[in-house]
Amino acid sequence: MENSCQTIRHQINLSGRVQGVGFRPFVYRLATELELAGKVENDAQGAVIEIEGASKQTSLFLKRLQSELPPLAKIAHLEITGLPPKNDKTFVIACSKSEGARSAEISPDIAICPDCLRELFDPADRRYRYPFINCTNCGPRYSIVQAVPYDRCNTTMTKFKMCPDCQAEYDDPTNRRFHAQPDACPVCGPRLWLTDAQGRDLPGDPIRVCAELLRDGKIVAIKGVGGFHLACCADNDAAVERLRERKGREAKPFALMLGSLENARKLICLDSASETQLLDCACPIVLAPRCTDAPISRFVAPGNALLGVMLPYAPLHHLLFAEGLGALVMTSGNPSEEPLCKDNAEALERLGHLADAFLMHDRDMERGVDDSVVLAGGPVVRRGRGYAPGPVRLKTIAALEPVLAIGGEMKSAICILNDNVAVLSEHLGELSNPSGYRNFAQTIERFQKLLSVTPRVIAHDLHPDYASTRFARSLPDATLIPIQHHHAHAASCMAENGLSRAVAVVCDGTGYGTDAQIWGGEILVCERDAFERAGHLCYYALPGGDAAAHETWRPALSLTLATFETDWQQEAGTLFNEVPAQTLKFTAQRIQSGSFVQTSSTGRLFDAAAFLLGLCERNRFEAEAAMLLESVAQSYSGASPNALPPASGLLDWKPLVRNLVVGMRQGVPVPQLAYAFHSELAILLTSGALAAAQRNDITQVVLTGGCFANRLLTALMMKNLEHAGLEVFTHHEVPPGDGGLALGQA
Ligand SMILES: [Zn+2]
Ligand SMILES: [Zn+2]
Ligand SMILES: [Zn+2]
């Protein structure tokens, strides 16, 4: 038996999120408390600990090392090797090694922690009201890091030389700010100022004057953690409407920030799951059902049943709300569809016509990181600040060589897979405009530098005309691997859930199919690098190309025609009266003559249903019609059919369309029809999944694609599939929509 007093020495190699999160001070305190000697240091894989002392104490150390981790730290892998004792007398924190392969995780940007928040409002603290307070448990990370290892000289904070007080904290292993790379104070750190739209300084306390301007109905561009926001008071109709006009944003909902959870409860209905999301240290925008009579302007989210709400995450935000402000609109600081603004001069130039004033600071950002968006109780739908660049560890497979996956066209994001770790970038937005494309190309370059890999294998979408596909083709001597869009969606959900084989139900707007048609309602049998199309929604003509995504009458006409054939006009009655007669007739003729591309899109099916129910004639922003349809359906409280569908591979939507059109003519209440549509579609898709599962002897099903941001559809599908004895997997930290595509491609 081992003598519990015998002196032993272990080396512990750790990987995971152990840098920049207070890990070494924690190890130091633990070792000192247990009277152990040795050292801890960062290396490029994570951290290495050497520990020496009585074997009883060392095993206690190993146990507590894992059970008492600091809040942000995560150990992905831990390896222990025995060493001969060196008779060390003390425990030390050694300096970083910068050589070696760089796989240490970079922490996302984290909302201010309770300790810093307390100090922020403590008049006796030397950082009282200092907008850049942070510690090892909170503050900016990914937005300021330029290279790994994560040390101050590799961040944008390197230009600020620490004062003696800050330096002392930084050097003291027992201090909460030990090696807190963005550590700063009013004496030595970044500062805040307020200017008018021309960049001229405005006198007075920037926070107080800014709060006054907001209260006066002004629009202020506020530089936060990941970029600029455009802010105004959310209960001020004139201000919110002006912001809409200036930003050129007709209807897409604005996100809100509220000072506290209590205030958030007055605007949105929260359950414990969504409150947890709201309070998470990632501090995302939570999309939740709005309360009736929510005290905000009708221009914030016109006609939308959901509101996007977040809590303050930067010290700066807390200081603003301490001035007594109510709900603020906090929309990303960019002209519509363009990348986020992050630099001061750039902001004055690009946002000068949008904002009345600028609240700026000189803590630079290495990259713009948009706010993340999560569905209340559901998955992340936009992955940005607080989540990126958190990695996904693949349980089932490791890459033979590094792969760069470059995503799709809309909601773009990139992903680098190295060994079994996939690092997914922040949301990069649309690539169809020049500045979006530039940002995309720049991010690829920076991401490769940050991770110290330049993959030669590039995975891209099968679509020949995507900007990302053209980018891939422009790379010299790269090996290109085109990946079918829906296969990538499926692989992304499988990777997140550690599956190697599954039936995938993939529902989204559009993706290029292997038969050159537009897919979007797919039942796939997937392995990681192969798939079989086991079923799909029946094809229908998609008239008008890009216009079909905005004008909901186009797919509606196509589906009505296919359902009722020559009787379509009698059956449809007045449904298409708003469409100019000539256009309608001409389009109908062209559909009948087969001059349009064929599609199995679920997204356009939703659009058509919303049109037929008179809910939405035009998508003013992506998925507006589908969101309206879902919220109307959610308002239906009647019983739902609970029939288990027969297994089938041919998914015919004609009965669904028939029920909508006939139901409208018979005056069935719209919420009931909207609910029935969801329910029947879920049954249809379940029957397809069931057939594929039975034929291939598979019991695991993944639900993925942008349409699974629809909570009702997701819930109905899960119920049906589980009832049929299948195990269902959905997305959590990776978006179901095209933002998650890159992970699947890799
Ligand atoms: Zn803190
Ligand atoms: Zn200082
Ligand atoms: Zn998609």
Short mmCIF file of all heavy atoms in Angstrom, two decimals, residues 256 258-270 275 278 288-296 307 309 311 325-327:
data_model
loop_
_atom_site.label_atom_id
_atom_site.label_comp_id
_atom_site.label_asym_id
_atom_site.label_seq_id
_atom_site.Cartn_x
_atom_site.Cartn_y
_atom_site.Cartn_z
N LEU A 256 -33.21 45.13 -27.67
CA LEU A 256 -33.33 46.05 -26.54
C LEU A 256 -32.34 45.67 -25.45
O LEU A 256 -32.00 44.50 -25.29
CB LEU A 256 -34.74 45.98 -25.95
CG LEU A 256 -35.89 46.33 -26.89
CD1 LEU A 256 -37.22 46.04 -26.21
CD2 LEU A 256 -35.81 47.79 -27.30
N LEU A 258 -31.94 46.25 -21.22
CA LEU A 258 -32.63 46.73 -20.03
C LEU A 258 -31.70 46.67 -18.84
O LEU A 258 -30.83 45.80 -18.78
CB LEU A 258 -33.84 45.84 -19.75
CG LEU A 258 -34.93 46.10 -20.77
CD1 LEU A 258 -35.53 44.83 -21.24
CD2 LEU A 258 -35.96 47.01 -20.17
N GLY A 259 -31.92 47.58 -17.89
CA GLY A 259 -31.01 47.68 -16.76
C GLY A 259 -31.01 46.48 -15.83
O GLY A 259 -30.02 46.20 -15.18
N SER A 260 -32.12 45.76 -15.77
CA SER A 260 -32.19 44.67 -14.80
C SER A 260 -33.17 43.61 -15.25
O SER A 260 -34.01 43.83 -16.13
CB SER A 260 -32.66 45.21 -13.45
OG SER A 260 -34.01 45.64 -13.57
N LEU A 261 -33.07 42.45 -14.61
CA LEU A 261 -33.97 41.34 -14.91
C LEU A 261 -35.43 41.72 -14.60
O LEU A 261 -36.34 41.38 -15.35
CB LEU A 261 -33.55 40.12 -14.08
CG LEU A 261 -34.34 38.83 -14.33
CD1 LEU A 261 -34.17 38.36 -15.76
CD2 LEU A 261 -33.90 37.73 -13.37
N GLU A 262 -35.62 42.48 -13.51
CA GLU A 262 -36.99 42.89 -13.15
C GLU A 262 -37.61 43.70 -14.29
O GLU A 262 -38.76 43.50 -14.65
CB GLU A 262 -37.01 43.75 -11.87
CG GLU A 262 -36.61 43.02 -10.61
CD GLU A 262 -35.11 42.78 -10.54
OE1 GLU A 262 -34.36 43.76 -10.45
OE2 GLU A 262 -34.68 41.61 -10.63
N ASN A 263 -36.81 44.61 -14.86
CA ASN A 263 -37.34 45.41 -15.96
C ASN A 263 -37.58 44.56 -17.21
O ASN A 263 -38.52 44.81 -17.96
CB ASN A 263 -36.38 46.55 -16.29
CG ASN A 263 -36.41 47.61 -15.21
OD1 ASN A 263 -37.35 47.66 -14.42
ND2 ASN A 263 -35.38 48.44 -15.15
N ALA A 264 -36.73 43.55 -17.42
CA ALA A 264 -36.92 42.67 -18.57
C ALA A 264 -38.24 41.92 -18.45
O ALA A 264 -38.94 41.71 -19.43
CB ALA A 264 -35.75 41.69 -18.68
N ARG A 265 -38.57 41.54 -17.22
CA ARG A 265 -39.82 40.79 -17.00
C ARG A 265 -41.05 41.61 -17.39
O ARG A 265 -42.10 41.04 -17.65
CB ARG A 265 -39.93 40.38 -15.53
CG ARG A 265 -39.00 39.25 -15.15
CD ARG A 265 -39.49 38.56 -13.88
NE ARG A 265 -38.47 37.68 -13.35
CZ ARG A 265 -37.72 37.96 -12.27
NH1 ARG A 265 -37.91 39.09 -11.62
NH2 ARG A 265 -36.80 37.11 -11.86
N LYS A 266 -40.91 42.94 -17.39
CA LYS A 266 -42.07 43.77 -17.78
C LYS A 266 -42.28 43.76 -19.29
O LYS A 266 -43.33 44.13 -19.78
CB LYS A 266 -41.86 45.21 -17.31
CG LYS A 266 -41.90 45.35 -15.81
CD LYS A 266 -41.56 46.78 -15.39
CE LYS A 266 -41.26 46.82 -13.90
NZ LYS A 266 -40.34 47.91 -13.56
N LEU A 267 -41.25 43.35 -20.04
CA LEU A 267 -41.36 43.38 -21.50
C LEU A 267 -41.59 42.01 -22.11
O LEU A 267 -42.27 41.87 -23.12
CB LEU A 267 -40.08 43.96 -22.11
CG LEU A 267 -39.76 45.42 -21.86
CD1 LEU A 267 -38.63 45.86 -22.76
CD2 LEU A 267 -40.98 46.29 -22.11
N ILE A 268 -40.94 40.99 -21.55
CA ILE A 268 -41.05 39.67 -22.15
C ILE A 268 -41.43 38.62 -21.11
O ILE A 268 -41.14 38.78 -19.93
CB ILE A 268 -39.73 39.24 -22.84
CG1 ILE A 268 -38.53 39.49 -21.92
CG2 ILE A 268 -39.55 39.95 -24.16
CD1 ILE A 268 -37.22 39.03 -22.49
N CYS A 269 -42.09 37.56 -21.59
CA CYS A 269 -42.48 36.47 -20.70
C CYS A 269 -41.29 35.53 -20.57
O CYS A 269 -40.83 34.97 -21.57
CB CYS A 269 -43.66 35.70 -21.28
SG CYS A 269 -44.97 36.77 -21.85
N LEU A 270 -40.82 35.37 -19.36
CA LEU A 270 -39.62 34.56 -19.14
C LEU A 270 -39.94 33.37 -18.25
O LEU A 270 -40.68 33.50 -17.28
CB LEU A 270 -38.54 35.41 -18.47
CG LEU A 270 -37.95 36.53 -19.32
CD1 LEU A 270 -37.18 37.50 -18.45
CD2 LEU A 270 -37.04 35.96 -20.39
N GLU A 275 -34.59 32.86 -18.29
CA GLU A 275 -33.91 33.78 -17.36
C GLU A 275 -32.45 33.39 -17.20
O GLU A 275 -31.57 34.25 -17.13
CB GLU A 275 -34.62 33.76 -15.99
CG GLU A 275 -35.90 34.56 -16.02
CD GLU A 275 -36.51 34.78 -14.64
OE1 GLU A 275 -35.92 34.35 -13.63
OE2 GLU A 275 -37.58 35.41 -14.59
N LEU A 278 -30.63 34.72 -20.11
CA LEU A 278 -30.48 36.17 -20.02
C LEU A 278 -29.33 36.54 -19.08
O LEU A 278 -28.58 37.48 -19.32
CB LEU A 278 -31.80 36.75 -19.52
CG LEU A 278 -32.22 38.15 -19.93
CD1 LEU A 278 -32.16 38.35 -21.42
CD2 LEU A 278 -33.64 38.41 -19.43
N ALA A 288 -37.80 36.34 -26.86
CA ALA A 288 -38.86 35.74 -26.05
C ALA A 288 -40.18 36.42 -26.38
O ALA A 288 -40.21 37.54 -26.88
CB ALA A 288 -38.52 35.90 -24.58
N PRO A 289 -41.30 35.73 -26.08
CA PRO A 289 -42.62 36.31 -26.36
C PRO A 289 -42.81 37.62 -25.60
O PRO A 289 -42.48 37.70 -24.42
CB PRO A 289 -43.59 35.25 -25.84
CG PRO A 289 -42.80 33.99 -25.72
CD PRO A 289 -41.39 34.39 -25.48
N ARG A 290 -43.29 38.63 -26.29
CA ARG A 290 -43.45 39.93 -25.62
C ARG A 290 -44.70 39.93 -24.75
O ARG A 290 -45.68 39.25 -25.03
CB ARG A 290 -43.49 41.06 -26.64
CG ARG A 290 -44.80 41.21 -27.38
CD ARG A 290 -44.93 42.63 -27.92
NE ARG A 290 -44.27 42.80 -29.20
CZ ARG A 290 -44.03 44.01 -29.73
NH1 ARG A 290 -44.35 45.10 -29.09
NH2 ARG A 290 -43.46 44.11 -30.91
N CYS A 291 -44.65 40.69 -23.66
CA CYS A 291 -45.82 40.84 -22.80
C CYS A 291 -46.82 41.73 -23.53
O CYS A 291 -46.43 42.64 -24.26
CB CYS A 291 -45.47 41.52 -21.49
SG CYS A 291 -44.20 40.71 -20.56
N THR A 292 -48.10 41.49 -23.31
CA THR A 292 -49.07 42.43 -23.85
C THR A 292 -48.86 43.74 -23.12
O THR A 292 -48.55 43.76 -21.93
CB THR A 292 -50.51 41.92 -23.62
OG1 THR A 292 -50.56 41.37 -22.31
CG2 THR A 292 -50.89 40.86 -24.63
N ASP A 293 -48.99 44.84 -23.82
CA ASP A 293 -48.77 46.17 -23.25
C ASP A 293 -47.33 46.40 -22.78
O ASP A 293 -47.11 47.14 -21.83
CB ASP A 293 -49.71 46.44 -22.05
CG ASP A 293 -51.15 46.21 -22.42
OD1 ASP A 293 -51.50 46.49 -23.59
OD2 ASP A 293 -51.92 45.73 -21.57
N ALA A 294 -46.36 45.75 -23.41
CA ALA A 294 -44.97 46.07 -23.10
C ALA A 294 -44.75 47.55 -23.37
O ALA A 294 -45.11 48.03 -24.45
CB ALA A 294 -44.03 45.22 -23.96
N PRO A 295 -44.21 48.29 -22.38
CA PRO A 295 -44.13 49.74 -22.52
C PRO A 295 -43.01 50.20 -23.44
O PRO A 295 -42.05 50.83 -23.01
CB PRO A 295 -43.88 50.20 -21.07
CG PRO A 295 -43.18 49.05 -20.44
CD PRO A 295 -43.65 47.80 -21.12
N ILE A 296 -43.11 49.88 -24.72
CA ILE A 296 -42.10 50.33 -25.67
C ILE A 296 -42.77 50.83 -26.95
O ILE A 296 -43.93 50.53 -27.20
CB ILE A 296 -41.14 49.19 -26.07
CG1 ILE A 296 -41.93 47.95 -26.46
CG2 ILE A 296 -40.15 48.88 -24.97
CD1 ILE A 296 -41.16 47.02 -27.34
N LEU A 307 -39.71 39.64 -28.70
CA LEU A 307 -38.81 40.77 -28.51
C LEU A 307 -37.42 40.22 -28.19
O LEU A 307 -37.30 39.23 -27.47
CB LEU A 307 -39.26 41.65 -27.35
CG LEU A 307 -40.40 42.65 -27.59
CD1 LEU A 307 -40.67 43.40 -26.30
CD2 LEU A 307 -40.04 43.63 -28.71
N VAL A 309 -34.17 40.78 -26.17
CA VAL A 309 -33.78 41.56 -25.00
C VAL A 309 -32.46 41.05 -24.43
O VAL A 309 -32.22 39.85 -24.39
CB VAL A 309 -34.88 41.46 -23.91
CG1 VAL A 309 -34.40 42.01 -22.59
CG2 VAL A 309 -36.13 42.20 -24.37
N LEU A 311 -29.31 42.01 -21.23
CA LEU A 311 -28.97 42.79 -20.04
C LEU A 311 -27.61 43.46 -20.27
O LEU A 311 -26.86 43.05 -21.14
CB LEU A 311 -28.93 41.86 -18.82
CG LEU A 311 -30.28 41.25 -18.44
CD1 LEU A 311 -30.13 40.32 -17.24
CD2 LEU A 311 -31.31 42.34 -18.13
N LEU A 325 -31.91 55.30 -16.87
CA LEU A 325 -32.53 55.07 -18.18
C LEU A 325 -33.43 53.84 -18.15
O LEU A 325 -33.15 52.88 -17.44
CB LEU A 325 -31.44 54.87 -19.24
CG LEU A 325 -30.59 56.09 -19.58
CD1 LEU A 325 -29.40 55.68 -20.44
CD2 LEU A 325 -31.44 57.14 -20.29
N GLY A 326 -34.50 53.88 -18.95
CA GLY A 326 -35.36 52.70 -19.11
C GLY A 326 -34.81 51.83 -20.23
O GLY A 326 -33.61 51.78 -20.44
N ALA A 327 -35.72 51.16 -20.94
CA ALA A 327 -35.28 50.28 -22.03
C ALA A 327 -34.61 51.09 -23.13
O ALA A 327 -35.09 52.15 -23.52
CB ALA A 327 -36.47 49.53 -22.58
#
